[in-house]
Amino acid sequence: MNRQLIKILCIALLAGVATLFAAKYAMRVTPHFTWVAVSCFLVYVLMAWLLCGQRVRAFGSKALFYAVLVAVLLVMLVVQYHFDPYQLRVDRWSALHFPIQHLLRGEFPYLAHTHLDGSASPFPVWQLFHIPFYLLGNVGLSEMFTFLLFVLSVRFRFGVRQGFLALLLGALTLNIWYEVSVRSDMISNFLLLAAFVNLLFLKGVRFEHHPLLLSFIAGLWLSTRLNTVFPLAILFFPVWLTFSVKKKGSTVLIALLALIATFVPLMLWDASTLFYYEYSPLALQTRQGHPVDPILMLLFAMLCGWWWRGVESRYHFLAGVSLLLVPVITYGHTMLAAAEPLNIFDSWCDITYLDAAIPFLIMSLCAVQYEEEKDVCR
């Protein structure tokens, strides 16, 4: 797969995710939502194509990069605090806020309810990560923090121009602004994961040199969201294949034990609620789709792990595609199994799960530009 094709596909997928979001919310306010969606797609494609071309070279100034980054973060803060979180019809923020509140009060976190009287399912490590933001009075601050880390990770991995590209592509993405405004933690999980992957590439930390440590860290990532396994599986699989049978088993076992270890305090606290409660975190994070779906996704991730062959732009693209396929396969299976036709714009289908792919697709575009610049300099 050449770079030009990766660039075209990444832009098309980013534009497609933004267009689905625009269509879903435009249809609530106008009968002409099709025109809104088509306009969104065309504008995003045009702007992204221009930014990924030679024109972004004008943004080589570190001072300008940091000034724009600070400005975007400040606008995000203004947008987020403009909305009263208790008036929002999205409860992702309170699905973190109230379990943490319960935890710090000595109450079992998974008995907490959201401000919409829903149930909460944040995994242990993700709760711990958000405690500082809770203490600041707003768990949604993690959006700005992880966006900052993501953009800086791109800047230090690929350079100022590519950091600027990531910043501008993120600022152009409607989905990110939606996530910020409703204080959702969905995309922040994958902004942070993408920054972690960039750090591994930047520092040259390779799985063959630190298999046990990285397996343990992978287990901790699984204790944020289970679908973090797919980008990590793609990243580590080529090296994992070269291990002996014993080493293959030990690395997988360590990752699973690390994940289980994060739940041990909760098991000792209230095992019946953790495992048998209808709205336990394990039930809520695995209730959609069919049990065969994760197997299909892992097989796809393994294939991608063999395919990316050390090319970063290809890795990030395949990681993004794997995250897109998680909701596509899950909801697709649900639609096929339904007795009546289902509409993806209805409330049962949360298309914001597609947002998980955005950081990796943006990184793929940055990596393509970086690799092209390196070829020119040779």
Side-chain angles (χ1 to χ4, degrees):
M1 182 181 291
N2 61 42
R3 294 177 192 142
Q4 198 68 8
L5 180 58
I6 289 175
K7 184 189 297 186
I8 292 169
L9 291 174
C10 280
I11 291 174
L13 290 173
L14 284 168
V17 170
T19 300
L20 277 176
F21 170 83
K24 179 173 182 175
Y25 288 93
M27 68 171 46
R28 300 180 181 182
V29 296
T30 175
H32 307 295
F33 65 89
T34 302
W35 292 107
V36 173
V38 171
S39 300
C40 174
F41 183 84
L42 293 176
V43 169
Y44 194 96
V45 167
L46 177 61
M47 295 299 294
W49 189 261
L50 290 174
L51 287 172
C52 292
Q54 297 301 313
R55 297 191 182 192
V56 79
R57 292 177 180 272
F59 298 106
S61 166
K62 291 182 183 179
L64 183 60
F65 165 74
Y66 286 111
V68 174
L69 176 57
V70 170
V72 169
L73 292 172
L74 288 175
V75 174
M76 285 181 170
L77 280 171
V78 171
V79 167
Q80 188 167 91
Y81 279 96
H82 173 73
F83 298 97
D84 179 356
Y86 286 92
Q87 298 302 314
L88 296 172
R89 301 303 299 170
V90 178
D91 61 359
R92 282 221 176 100
W93 72 270
S94 56
L96 271 167
H97 177 91
F98 290 110
I100 293 173
Q101 184 182 80
H102 270 53
L103 181 67
L104 296 181
R105 288 178 177 176
E107 301 172 34
F108 196 68
Y110 296 121
L111 292 176
H113 290 275
T114 71
H115 75 293
L116 298 179
D117 203 32
S119 297
S121 63
F123 275 14
V125 169
W126 202 227
Q127 288 188 64
L128 293 176
F129 175 77
H130 277 84
I131 286 177
F133 306 110
Y134 170 85
L135 295 176
L136 290 172
N138 177 9
V139 291
L141 291 173
S142 68
E143 287 285 345
M144 281 68 78
F145 179 70
T146 55
F147 184 77
L148 171 66
L149 290 181
F150 169 71
V151 172
L152 289 179
S153 75
V154 176
R155 177 257 179 272
F156 287 109
R157 174 66 191 106
F158 298 120
V160 176
R161 290 188 181 90
Q162 286 72 34
F164 228 127
L165 177 59
L167 171 59
L168 295 176
L169 287 173
L172 280 171
T173 304
L174 289 174
N175 308 59
I176 289 179
W177 291 101
Y178 169 80
E179 297 257 353
V180 167
S181 64
V182 300
R183 307 187 180 200
S184 169
D185 67 309
M186 166 56 69
I187 202 170
S188 61
N189 205 155
F190 294 92
L191 288 167
L192 190 64
L193 179 59
F196 169 73
V197 170
N198 266 338
L199 180 65
L200 294 183
F201 281 121
L202 176 65
K203 297 297 184 180
V205 179
R206 300 173 66 87
F207 192 47
E208 58 263 42
H209 299 149
H210 307 280
L212 302 184
L213 174 63
L214 290 177
S215 296
F216 176 78
I217 292 173
L220 298 182
W221 274 112
L222 290 177
S223 190
T224 61
R225 264 188 176 84
L226 289 178
N227 53 348
T228 57
V229 68
F230 302 116
L232 294 173
I234 294 171
L235 182 63
F236 297 146
F237 184 69
V239 174
W240 183 83
L241 275 179
T242 66
F243 291 164
S244 65
V245 173
K246 181 180 179 180
K247 199 169 185 179
K248 283 185 175 78
S250 63
T251 50
V252 172
L253 182 61
I254 286 173
L256 291 175
L257 289 175
L259 170 62
I260 293 168
T262 64
F263 282 94
V264 167
L266 296 167
M267 295 177 198
L268 298 175
W269 189 347
D270 189 345
S272 61
T273 299
L274 182 64
F275 292 113
Y276 303 112
Y277 180 44
E278 181 182 2
Y279 301 109
S280 74
L282 299 172
L284 287 174
Q285 287 214 22
T286 58
R287 63 180 174 176
Q288 292 282 1
H290 190 277
V292 77
D293 295 345
I295 298 173
L296 293 175
M297 283 303 309
L298 275 175
L299 290 174
F300 177 79
M302 291 176 183
L303 177 63
C304 291
W306 169 81
W307 195 13
W308 73 276
R309 298 177 185 274
V311 180
E312 283 187 56
S313 58
R314 192 181 299 165
Y315 163 74
H316 296 306
F317 170 71
L318 293 171
V321 170
S322 73
L323 291 170
L324 284 177
L325 286 177
V326 172
V328 169
I329 291 176
T330 300
Y331 290 133
H333 206 138
T334 301
M335 292 176 74
L336 289 173
E340 299 179 2
L342 297 174
N343 189 328
I344 63 168
F345 295 122
D346 289 341
S347 58
W348 73 274
C349 182
D350 188 351
I351 62 173
T352 60
Y353 280 100
L354 296 169
D355 296 350
I358 290 173
F360 286 95
L361 295 176
I362 289 176
M363 281 207 302
S364 183
L365 290 171
C366 296
V368 165
Q369 188 185 80
Y370 174 74
E371 290 163 7
E372 288 176 345
E373 289 186 3
K374 281 182 66 177
D375 286 349
V376 169
C377 293
R378 286 174 182 169

